[in-house]
Amino acid sequence: MTATSEVRLVAMGPEHADEVLRIYQLGIDEGNATFETTAPSWEHFDATKLSGHRHVALDASGAVLGWAAAVPVSDRCVYAGVVEHSVYVHPDARGQGVGATLLDALIKSTELAGIWTIQSGVFPENTGSLSLHRRMGFRVVGTRERIGRLHGAWRDVVLIERRSHAVA
């Protein structure tokens, strides 16, 4: 993995599928990223993520360092400007600004599309993600206590959001 200065952002496409899903599975395997226990198929992933808001960070050789993507929170028209996002960075590329670069791209693409709120749920144990999001302008809305079980254990989720100042 290479340093941030060599990171190139591109739209996520099927050519990135294997690496995106591998990075997703690495995050899942660490146990503090999601309630999911296995990465989905590319077909499911591709069908559910908003096409204009899927970004990958590539190193100089073209290897995927991380990805960010968003999904609508609801199909109700009143929530048309609200998305839930995910950002995953390969363990070897963490601490190099890849996550911030991906979140910045996601913020820009959503604001250009008129999206006013980006939200997510983060396990409180995922302190690196919470710190990154705080630096990128996200705020903690609250903690949903014992909201779900992962491998038989109840887990809390910190609900975070970023409200756009550009979209009124």
Side-chain angles (χ1 to χ4, degrees):
M1 300 290 143
T2 59
T4 308
S5 61
E6 300 176 34
V7 169
R8 182 170 51 99
L9 282 176
V10 298
M12 182 190 299
E15 67 274 21
H16 306 116
D18 290 343
E19 290 178 278
V20 164
L21 295 178
R22 184 172 52 84
I23 290 169
Y24 194 5
Q25 189 63 52
L26 288 169
I28 290 169
D29 292 346
E30 289 177 334
N32 285 324
T34 179
F35 282 107
E36 301 299 328
T37 55
T38 58
S41 68
W42 175 252
E43 293 73 24
H44 178 76
F45 185 98
D46 187 47
T48 57
K49 306 299 185 218
L50 293 168
S51 62
H53 311 294
R54 302 187 304 180
H55 310 280
V56 292
L58 306 176
D59 71 10
S61 73
V64 176
L65 300 171
W67 60 269
V71 298
V73 297
S74 175
D75 61 0
R76 296 178 62 200
C77 64
V78 298
Y79 296 112
V82 183
V83 296
E84 183 169 348
H85 82 289
S86 299
V87 59
Y88 283 77
V89 176
H90 190 285
D92 295 340
R94 292 183 189 152
Q96 300 176 34
V98 174
T101 300
L102 287 162
L103 273 178
D104 185 59
L106 183 68
I107 290 165
K108 288 175 180 171
S109 71
T110 55
E111 285 183 339
L112 284 171
I115 293 170
W116 59 83
T117 301
I118 305 170
Q119 69 180 39
S120 192
V122 179
F123 290 136
E125 297 84 0
N126 196 341
T127 57
S129 181
L130 290 170
S131 177
L132 166 65
H133 283 88
R134 192 174 312 108
R135 287 192 316 273
M136 297 301 295
F138 285 75
R139 70 181 184 101
V140 171
V141 176
T143 300
R144 301 176 78 190
E145 296 177 355
R146 297 173 47 96
I147 193 69
R149 295 181 105 166
L150 179 62
H151 304 301
W154 286 105
R155 300 293 298 267
D156 296 347
V157 170
V158 179
L159 182 59
I160 59 172
E161 71 174 13
R162 182 188 183 280
R163 294 287 178 99
S164 173
H165 299 291
V167 179

